[in-house]
Amino acid sequence: MFKVYGDYRSGNCYKVKLMLHLLGKPYEWVPIDILKGETQSEAFLAKNPNGKIPVLELEDGTCLWESNAILNFLADGSEFLPSEPRLRTQVLQWQFFEQYSHEPYVAVARFIQLYQGMPEARLDEHARCLALGYKALKVMEKQLQRTPYLVGEQYSIADIALYAYTHVADEGGFSLEAFPAVRAWIERVASHPRHVTMLG
Ligand SMILES: N[C@@H](CCC(=O)N[C@@H](CS)C(=O)NCC(=O)O)C(=O)O
């Protein structure tokens, strides 16, 4: 059985939980409190030297880290990861986009607002996150006006990677009012029969 070290409120950890539910794979969830510094303990750093969750521990003790890498591992051979090279590369394209142009703003704005309660010292950074986060949402909106999922017709791990923080973007101060295609996609993803919510 898989072990997932994570925090239920973290979008990066939710990606792994959602994937496991969609695949119907059993797992044990080991709660990690980042605010208490549990990712920096020696025992945890032996699992992920970068001191971050999520970590997926396999039965043989192998520890995989980086949420989108974990998604690729879990989805291998399933309907959520196309085998055709161009489509597979487009999945990776959206996942790299998520890590470089979306998560650093949409997730960080949420961290500052939800976890930290908007400290004075981070207000400027929060405003910058909103500006750059909206830029990323516009990129998604353009694609989703053309196709039901980020990579064409098929629900893939590109969608899981981007759904995780987009569907709770309001908790970081974003409004999705101007993004109707993104809102319709959020409903589409959530309507999958094996969907599980972040806190569910
Ligand atoms: N690129 C990483 C980011 C992971 C990450 O930032 N995790 C946060 C929680 S969402 C964390 O562990 N923060 C604790 C820390 O940095 O000490 C991934 O996608 O897995």
Side-chain angles (χ1 to χ4, degrees):
M1 170 139 50
F2 295 122
K3 255 189 196 172
V4 182
Y5 295 83
D7 167 1
Y8 283 120
R9 289 189 304 169
S10 146
N12 285 317
C13 299
Y14 174 51
K15 293 175 196 173
V16 178
K17 172 180 155 179
L18 178 54
M19 179 81 275
L20 287 164
H21 279 259
L22 290 169
L23 294 169
K25 296 207 177 187
Y27 63 91
E28 181 191 340
W29 187 271
V30 183
I32 298 289
D33 191 334
I34 55 174
L35 296 178
K36 284 191 186 147
E38 290 178 3
T39 46
Q40 306 308 314
S41 73
E42 223 165 277
F44 188 84
L45 289 170
K47 300 187 187 301
N48 178 358
N50 198 27
K52 289 185 191 299
I53 47 173
V55 168
L56 180 76
E57 189 172 306
L58 311 186
E59 270 181 11
D60 69 358
T62 304
C63 286
L64 301 176
W65 39 276
E66 285 298 322
S67 58
N68 291 344
I70 296 170
L71 289 181
N72 277 273
F73 171 78
L74 291 172
D76 194 41
S78 79
E79 70 199 83
F80 298 99
L81 179 54
S83 55
E84 197 278 320
R86 272 172 305 182
L87 294 177
R88 199 173 176 123
T89 303
Q90 284 173 345
V91 169
L92 287 172
Q93 162 200 292
W94 282 109
Q95 291 189 322
F96 287 118
F97 163 82
E98 190 261 348
Q99 285 287 291
Y100 194 75
S101 303
H102 181 286
E103 195 260 15
Y105 311 118
V106 179
V108 172
R110 180 172 175 264
F111 185 80
I112 295 170
Q113 189 162 316
L114 185 71
Y115 283 62
Q116 296 189 317
M118 298 288 263
E120 188 77 28
R122 295 195 79 178
L123 290 183
D124 286 351
E125 187 186 350
H126 186 267
R128 184 171 173 271
C129 284
L130 286 186
L132 293 166
Y134 275 125
K135 192 170 169 220
L137 291 168
K138 275 186 202 152
V139 175
M140 292 174 67
E141 176 71 15
K142 257 195 184 161
Q143 179 63 42
L144 292 166
Q145 278 171 0
R146 292 171 34 214
T147 55
Y149 294 100
L150 290 165
V151 181
E153 302 295 314
Q154 190 68 29
Y155 182 11
S156 76
I157 54 173
D159 301 292
I160 297 177
L162 278 148
Y163 176 81
Y165 283 109
T166 305
H167 87 291
V168 287
D170 61 310
E171 295 177 352
F174 291 91
S175 163
L176 295 183
E177 185 79 24
F179 302 96
V182 170
R183 282 188 278 117
W185 165 81
I186 286 173
E187 280 180 27
R188 201 169 297 125
V189 167
S191 70
H192 191 284
R194 287 194 300 277
H195 185 75
V196 65
T197 59
M198 195 173 218
L199 302 177

